[in-house]
């Protein structure tokens, strides 16, 4: 039902099912990361009047912190995750770094709206801690379709990678070095940190 992407890692699409409405993704803390993409798998629809709350638990804390939500109207989001410090997450019993746990819970829209409002109020009091790039559809004032968002991400990648294309082989097939894609992702991730709303504005610079 849900998928998760962390830069430089394989896409995760098979969470642990804790209940019919609750799922968990154990995420190795190394290498360290600061953003997580959560999305509905193609063809997936949440039940009417529900949204999927996204939570994170970072050792040594046992509490789950609310990050935001996705919904049928907003099927993907990028969340900023603060506090992933592998050096502080070593399990004394095993000597190994404990994993981060990402939780996804299907809940009534009204409950998600309450959590979103509480999070927003907390940020206004203590400063922003990195809201998700795309808010849940129930809370978005000017929703942008998943298709448009995907088109803008692809356009951003194409514009960056086009200058690195070169011809190889007898037929002169055009290729782009893998490192160029890695450089694009690093630049894209940095831009999200500095200006989370640039995709919503359609800014491809």
């Amino acid at each position: 039902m849900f998928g998760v992407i962390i830069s430089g890692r394989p896409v995760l699409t098979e969470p642990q099912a804790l209940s019919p409405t609750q799922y968990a993704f154990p995420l190795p803390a190394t290498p360290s990361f600061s953003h997580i993409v959560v999305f509905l798998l193609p063809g997936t629809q949440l039940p009417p009047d529900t949204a999927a709350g996204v939570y994170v638990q970072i050792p040594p804390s046992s509490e789950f912190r609310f990050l935001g939500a996705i919904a049928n109207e907003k099927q993907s989001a990028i969340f900023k995750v603060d506090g992933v410090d592998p050096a502080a997450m070593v399990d004394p019993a095993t000597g190994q770094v404990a994993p981060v746990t990402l939780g996804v819970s299907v809940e009534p829209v009204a409950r998600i709206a309450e959590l979103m409002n509480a999070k927003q109020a907390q940020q206004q009091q203590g400063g922003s801690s990195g809201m998700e790039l795309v808010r849940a559809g129930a809370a978005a004032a000017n929703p942008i379709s998943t298709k448009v968002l995907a088109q803008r991400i692809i356009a951003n990648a194409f514009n960056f990678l086009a200058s690195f294309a070169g011809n190889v082989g007898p037929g002169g097939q055009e290729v782009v070095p893998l490192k160029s894609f890695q450089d694009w992702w690093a630049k894209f991730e940095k831009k999200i940190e500095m200006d989370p709303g640039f995709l919503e504005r359609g800014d491809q610079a």
Side-chain angles (χ1 to χ4, degrees):
M1 179 176 284
F2 302 103
V4 171
I5 298 175
I6 297 177
S7 177
R9 303 188 187 186
V11 178
L12 302 176
T13 58
E14 298 182 359
Q16 298 175 0
L18 306 180
S19 76
T21 59
Q22 295 179 315
Y23 305 85
F25 289 88
L27 307 174
T30 54
S32 183
F33 57 89
S34 59
H35 289 82
I36 297 176
V37 179
V38 182
F39 59 94
L40 290 175
L41 295 179
T44 298
Q45 284 286 317
L46 296 175
D49 300 320
T50 67
V54 178
Y55 303 80
V56 67
Q57 181 257 327
I58 302 175
S61 173
S62 60
E63 296 184 0
F64 278 84
R65 175 162 48 97
F66 178 73
L67 296 178
I70 59 175
N72 289 330
E73 297 82 1
K74 284 294 180 183
Q75 298 185 6
S76 63
I78 300 176
F79 302 96
K80 181 172 174 56
V81 181
D82 297 314
V84 180
D85 180 7
M89 298 164 59
V90 177
D91 186 340
T94 64
Q96 298 180 345
V97 178
V100 174
T101 301
L102 183 76
V104 184
S105 177
V106 179
E107 305 175 31
V109 167
R111 170 60 179 165
I112 294 296
E114 290 177 2
L115 294 172
M116 296 287 284
N117 290 336
K119 182 176 179 66
Q120 185 175 15
Q122 182 181 21
Q123 289 175 337
Q124 290 174 347
Q125 293 177 359
S128 174
S129 60
M131 281 292 283
E132 66 278 11
L133 172 64
V134 184
R135 294 175 180 270
N142 297 298
I144 297 176
S145 72
T146 302
K147 179 180 178 180
V148 170
L149 185 63
Q151 289 173 336
R152 290 178 179 177
I153 293 174
I154 292 170
N156 186 282
F158 181 85
N159 292 338
F160 181 86
L161 296 174
S163 61
F164 295 94
N167 298 325
V168 299
Q173 184 174 2
E174 195 171 36
V175 298
V176 175
L178 178 60
K179 186 179 184 303
S180 300
F181 180 82
Q182 295 171 334
D183 292 343
W184 166 76
W185 179 259
K187 179 181 177 182
F188 183 76
E189 192 173 39
K190 185 66 175 179
K191 187 168 181 63
I192 288 174
E193 291 183 25
M194 298 176 63
D195 183 12
F198 83 98
L199 284 173
E200 293 178 316
R201 298 193 304 271
D203 177 11
Q204 298 303 323

